[in-house]
Amino acid sequence: MTTVLVPRERRSGETRVAATPETVKRLIARGARVWIEAEAGRAAGFSDAAFEEAGAEVFASSDSLERWRQADAVLAVQAPLLCSEGGDGGLEALPAGSLVLGLLDPYRNQALIDQLELGRVSSLALELLPRISRAQAMDVLSSQANIAGYKAVLLAAAALDRFFPMLMTAAGTVQPAKVVVLGAGVAGLQAVATARRLGAVVRVSDVRPAAREQVESLGARFIEPPQLEEAPGEAGGYAREAGAVFQEAQRQILAKQLEDADVVICTAQVPGRPAPLLITEAMLAGMRPGSVVVDLAVAQGGNCAASRAEADAWVGGVRVIGAGNLAATVPQHASALYARNLAALLEVVLKEGAIHIDPEDPLLDPCLLTHGGACRRPDLRPARQEATA
C-alpha cells in the first residue's frame, strides 16, 4: 500500500493545503493510505476532524520526521523547506525511490534539485506540466492563475480612489474606471472578465495577435502589439520571450495607454525567464495620481519597475502593489482546485496501490524533474552550473 504524506506548509504566507477531504477519499479509493499533518488545512478551512472522517490519519507535528522517513509520496503546495532554509529535515529524510509532487520552483531552486538527486527521490514539478489535452485536469498553473486574476482586480478596486462602474446619480454621472491588463493568459483573461463584471472599460496588451479573439469575446479592447519581424509569438501554450527591440516598441505603445488608465493589472510572464519589464519609472510618472498597478509577476522580477514582492510602493501618487501569491489569499477554493489537480496527476502513477513512473509517458516526461538520482531536465543544467561556479 502506498503511503501519501501531506505536510503542513511552512513557507511564509502560504495558506493552502495540498489535499482536501474530497481528494483524500479519491486517493484512498485508489488503494493509498493518507497521512495528514495536524492543522495542515486549518488556514484553508479544512479541520483535522474532516480529514479523519474522510479516512486520513492525522499525525502530530512532533512525529513529522518519522512520517517523512516512511512516506512513499509527498503532496506539497510549495517546495518543502530544506534544513539549510530552516526546515525540520523531512525532505532529507525521504527514502530513496519516493516521490514529491508540488510547485517546486525548478528554475530557481537549485538546492532542492541537488537534495532530490542526492536522496534519489523522484519529483514532479507542476510548473513543467505540458499543456496538452490530457493534462487539463492537472493544470495547477491555470487553476491558481484564475484565482490570482480574479483577486487582483478586487485588490485594485479596493485600493482605487474611484468607482469601477458607471453610476448615474442626482449629483451627476460617474464615468467607469479604465483598466489596462498586460498579458492575455489565464490570469489576464480572468482579470478582464472580473473587471468587466465590475463595470470597467478594459484594454488588453499581449504579444500574441492571436489573443485578440479571446480578449474581444470578453468585451475588452485589444491593444495591437508592435508590428515587427521579431514578434515573439507562442510556444507550448505560453508566450515566448520578446527581444529588446520588441519590448521597447511595446513600452512606447503602452505609455500612451497608461496615461489614461486608472488601474493596470500585470500578468505577463515567461516560464524560466525573468518577467518582461513593461512599465518603467518614467511611464509610472505619466500616470494619474491615485491610479493603481497590481503586479502578479513580481516573484519573477515584475512587469513594473517599482514592484516589490508582497509590498506596496508609491511613485508620484501611483500605488504599485506587488502580489506574487494571490491564490493563497483565497485558500479554501485555491486548495480545493489545487488538490484536485494534484490528485489527478498522482492517479496517473498510482496503479494497484503502488507507484509506477513511466519516464517515457508524454504527460510525465516534461515535468519529471528528478528520477533515479538525476535531474532529467537538461535546460536546468546551465542554471545549476552557473549557480555553483
Side-chain angles (χ1 to χ4, degrees):
M1 177 180 288
T2 296
T3 299
V4 177
L5 171 68
V6 182
R8 178 171 54 84
E9 296 293 319
R10 285 172 166 79
R11 292 190 181 269
S12 177
E14 187 53 71
T15 59
R16 293 169 291 180
V17 63
T20 65
E22 173 196 339
T23 62
V24 165
K25 292 177 182 178
R26 280 177 60 173
L27 296 177
I28 290 174
R30 296 296 294 266
R33 172 174 56 186
V34 182
W35 290 344
I36 306 276
E37 185 175 354
E39 297 195 339
R42 182 171 61 87
F46 301 106
S47 67
D48 290 347
F51 280 117
E52 289 178 328
E53 186 177 342
E57 180 183 342
V58 176
F59 64 91
S61 296
S62 57
D63 296 333
S64 178
L65 196 57
E66 185 59 33
R67 300 288 180 147
W68 280 82
R69 291 193 180 103
Q70 301 177 54
D72 298 306
V74 175
L75 305 186
V77 178
Q78 296 195 51
L81 288 169
L82 298 167
C83 283
S84 59
E85 299 172 309
D88 61 2
L91 190 64
E92 289 83 353
L94 272 176
S98 56
L99 174 66
V100 176
L101 301 87
L103 290 167
L104 305 182
D105 197 11
Y107 291 102
R108 298 184 300 169
N109 205 340
Q110 306 303 327
L112 174 71
I113 295 175
D114 289 341
Q115 177 57 45
L116 293 171
E117 287 183 323
L118 180 65
R120 302 187 66 82
V121 173
S122 299
S123 59
L124 290 170
L126 302 181
E127 299 94 330
L128 305 177
L129 197 73
R131 287 212 159 166
I132 57 178
S133 57
R134 187 175 159 213
Q136 286 181 355
M138 310 155 198
D139 191 352
V140 165
L141 293 185
S142 290
S143 71
Q144 303 304 291
N146 252 315
I147 295 171
Y150 160 80
K151 192 61 184 288
V153 174
L154 299 188
L155 192 62
L160 189 62
D161 60 354
R162 59 183 301 166
F163 291 118
F164 257 51
M166 174 185 285
L167 294 178
M168 301 183 69
T169 74
T173 300
V174 175
Q175 295 300 318
K178 297 175 182 177
V179 176
V180 173
V181 177
L182 305 183
V186 174
L189 292 174
Q190 182 57 248
V192 171
T194 304
R196 289 289 297 145
R197 283 195 292 267
L198 291 178
V201 174
V202 184
R203 296 177 185 270
V204 183
S205 172
D206 196 281
V207 297
R208 303 162 298 162
R212 172 193 289 275
E213 184 178 351
Q214 292 174 297
V215 167
E216 293 182 344
S217 71
L218 293 172
R221 298 179 185 178
F222 186 66
I223 301 170
E224 290 287 350
Q227 301 300 309
L228 300 175
E229 290 184 4
E230 66 161 28
E234 181 178 309
Y238 300 94
R240 290 199 299 254
E241 185 176 22
V245 174
F246 185 93
Q247 286 191 26
E248 180 56 33
Q250 187 181 20
R251 284 193 287 266
Q252 291 177 12
I253 293 172
L254 289 176
K256 298 177 182 178
Q257 299 290 335
L258 299 190
E259 289 175 0
D260 197 36
D262 298 302
V263 168
V264 183
I265 307 294
C266 304
T267 74
Q269 300 180 57
V270 179
R273 301 286 183 181
L277 178 62
L278 302 177
I279 304 176
T280 64
E281 296 273 1
M283 293 165 70
L284 283 173
M287 293 182 66
R288 177 184 68 80
S291 54
V292 178
V293 177
V294 180
D295 195 343
L296 300 185
V298 67
Q300 285 74 44
N303 296 148
C304 179
S307 297
R308 300 293 178 268
E310 310 308 324
D312 291 5
W314 292 86
V315 180
V318 177
R319 185 175 181 180
V320 181
I321 303 173
N325 192 15
L326 278 185
T329 67
V330 191
Q332 187 168 86
H333 279 159
S335 297
L337 296 175
Y338 183 91
R340 290 171 191 164
N341 294 146
L342 212 54
L345 181 56
L346 184 58
E347 285 171 346
V348 171
V349 299
L350 192 59
K351 299 173 181 177
E352 299 179 358
I355 292 177
H356 298 280
I357 298 174
D358 178 7
E360 303 303 318
D361 186 329
L363 172 68
L364 301 179
D365 179 30
C367 62
L368 186 57
L369 178 62
T370 57
H371 186 60
C375 176
R376 299 184 65 260
R377 288 292 300 255
D379 54 316
L380 294 175
R381 284 297 181 187
R384 296 183 65 235
Q385 290 167 0
E386 199 174 295
T388 57

